[in-house]
Amino acid sequence: MMVSAAVHVRMHKNRQCSKMKDKYKIAPVKQKQVKKEVEIKQRMTVAELAEAMDKDTDHVYEALLHTNIDIDILEQDFVLDEKWIKEVIKKSGMKFKWAKLSEEKVKENKDAVRRPLSDPTVLVPRSPVVTIMGHVDHGKTTLLDSLRKTQVTAMEAGGITQHIGAFLVHLPSGEKITFLDTPGHAAFSAMRARGANVTDIVILVVAADDGVMKQTIESIQHAKNFNVPIILAINKCDKPEANHEKVKKELLAYDVICEEYGGDVQSINVSALKGDNLMALAEATIALSEVLELKADCTGPVEGTVIECRNDKGKGPVTTAIIQRGTLTKGCVLVAGKSWAKVRLMFDENNKPMKTAGPSTPVEIVGWKELPSAGDEILEVESEQRAREVLDWRKYVETQEKNKDDFEVIEAKQKEHYETYKKERESFSSMNWRQRKSAMYKANKHLMATRPKERTEIDEHSLPIIVKGDVDGSVEAILNILDGYDADEQCKLKLVHFGVGDISENDIVSAEIFSGLVYGFNVNASKEVQQMATKKGVKIKLHRIIYKLIDDLKDELSGKLPAALEENIIGTASVLALFHVTVGKEKIPVAGCRVQKGQLHRKMKFKLIRDGHILWRGFLTSLKQLKNDVPVVKTGMECGLSLDKEIDFKLGDEIICYEEKEIQQNISWDPGF
């Protein structure tokens, strides 16, 4: 019992001690809450700010709810000023810090550039680079064919050179001339400009039986823009209707003055088909090149220009280039545009291997990692690592420029959006909130997401296409034409993808996704690809002539347009008298008419015209002759008729009977040829 009492006393004391401790217990130290830091810039889009805060965009919208900014105009790409960025961060219980300046902004320029002008003592004479220019079908390719004794023309589709070519011609005298053949077709304007840019002399081919044409004038302009001298080759002089003097006089208007008229332009009459006077043309070219004293430096890093590029099944990416400085050999590392190459193989225009290629030499280069673009400058660099540095720099510059352009577009759209919103708000200013809500709902109803059926109807008025071509220049020419498309209000033309090479399975997949079709120019589609296209319901359109491809595209665009209603007039009648007939308790107006032309058919459509204005369209409720219902009233006969709408006739009104026919509309786009 005594032990039990002792335990009880001890427990009582412990409880008292515990109470004392609780009474004087020291409160735990609250840990300071660490606010999350958010890196900000002076201007950020809603999406960028949300990402920096690790929140969704709705969080940003909520933070701006009770501020002066209009929530209705906010979208993910809306650019917020510094004031609103800080406001959102503050309301979110975070703190900001300014983002460090990107190291890329002080990135060292690693680009490759042309070297300074060479010392005159190291320069050696070089062959002239001559560009043949002129209008379609004036005989440029035939002229080159005769000069190099090959049958290029027989291989060209439709007699039109489809893409630029570079050829070295050896003359009997031992002289060499490099010729560039630029297409004369309207579509290839950019390629003619590129040809003029790398050339020393332009031979302007004009047909003696045709005279100065549109592309002739354009070729003259290109030559003058690049300050390139011209030699005039008047072709087809063997034709009976040839008039070379007329050609020379026409050219005076474009400041091309031949020597016979006191100018400095040599004029040679030739027949490319028969080979007449071609040596005189070659000698005139050599004589002019001697006057120009054409020289180049064969030493040092290579410089040149891409004339054409294509994907070859056996060789991979291949470029045709003109070397302008230095000597190209196997193993050279080159950069052009945003691509680079370590030269594996070199070929001449006849596909024969080459060991070296000096200034003025056309050469096919194999070894590119990717296809550069026609017109790109070729520069030799020290190593593959240096080539990658150059490409990284160029891609960086392109990205910076794109970001700047994108920002300007966003700002412009934002401004436009705000102005529209402001005008809408002004129109609602006098309404109470319920009226405003109702009016805004009605105003924005059309912006709500379309249903699948409606979306299909919208898609019916658009044509997605994929374009594949044999070489870069061909694709470029087609894209230049498509850039001039101006009939979006009828049918939108959507370019989904374009590229060089044969049509692939990926092209078919893309076409299926976008419900589009694939156009191929001078390319093929394998049997497997064609079978895949058939299975997926994708059209493949292959063409060898550019204007036929464009005509086909116009037909496809026209096929997307809704049929138009065309009215065919069957008969006309004049109102000569007015009557009222009682039917039940109603008085029906009746027109007494005489048919002036054609016939009136009871079941056809009619319209009432007064003073040149259409007052009514519809059907007749009755057509009578001598109180008898009749189906047809012929020319010269009189009748009485009433309409399906009550209209007061007047003497002299014209009643026209017509039928409506659906006709296929044509796209209004005119590509210019």
Side-chain angles (χ1 to χ4, degrees), residues 249-380:
K249 287 175 182 175
E250 285 179 353
L251 287 169
L252 291 173
Y254 305 99
D255 202 27
V256 177
I257 306 167
C258 298
E259 290 172 336
E260 297 94 311
Y261 292 95
D264 57 359
V265 176
Q266 299 178 77
S267 170
I268 314 294
N269 298 336
V270 299
S271 171
L273 194 63
K274 294 185 176 179
D276 295 346
N277 230 14
L278 296 187
M279 279 304 104
L281 180 61
E283 287 163 10
T285 305
I286 295 297
L288 181 55
S289 69
E290 288 172 356
V291 171
L292 295 172
E293 295 184 343
L294 301 172
K295 292 183 178 181
D297 180 4
C298 296
T299 63
V302 171
E303 294 175 9
T305 300
V306 177
I307 299 299
E308 196 46 88
C309 44
R310 71 178 196 279
N311 272 318
D312 187 281
K313 281 187 178 178
K315 302 172 185 174
V318 178
T319 62
T320 300
I322 295 288
I323 305 302
Q324 292 165 308
R325 291 172 83 182
T327 302
L328 185 68
T329 57
K330 287 182 186 178
C332 284
V333 179
L334 309 174
V335 291
K338 292 181 283 297
S339 182
W340 69 278
K342 185 170 184 179
V343 180
R344 291 193 292 112
L345 298 166
M346 298 188 297
F347 298 92
D348 65 12
E349 70 275 8
N350 298 314
N351 208 29
K352 291 181 180 177
M354 299 172 70
K355 291 184 179 179
T356 61
S360 298
T361 306
V363 57
E364 269 197 0
I365 302 170
V366 179
W368 295 94
K369 305 303 173 187
E370 292 177 26
L371 274 180
S373 295
D376 281 348
E377 181 181 63
I378 295 175
L379 297 172
E380 183 182 358

Side-chain angles (χ1 to χ4, degrees), residues 442-495:
K442 287 175 183 174
N444 296 323
K445 197 174 180 182
H446 68 285
L447 298 175
M448 293 179 182
T450 54
R451 293 170 185 163
K453 186 181 176 183
E454 291 168 342
R455 200 175 297 121
T456 304
E457 287 170 2
I458 292 168
D459 290 344
E460 282 178 7
H461 301 298
S462 67
L463 181 65
I465 61 168
I466 292 169
V467 175
K468 298 296 286 290
D470 56 340
V471 292
D472 192 59
S474 297
V475 176
E476 177 191 23
I478 294 167
L479 297 186
N480 283 342
I481 297 169
L482 300 185
D483 281 344
Y485 183 73
D486 57 2
D488 273 339
E489 73 286 348
Q490 287 182 289
C491 181
K492 288 185 178 179
L493 179 61
K494 297 178 180 177
L495 183 63

Side-chain angles (χ1 to χ4, degrees), residues 180-196:
L180 300 184
D181 180 20
T182 62
H185 197 273
F188 296 90
S189 174
M191 298 170 72
R192 280 190 290 283
R194 186 161 63 245

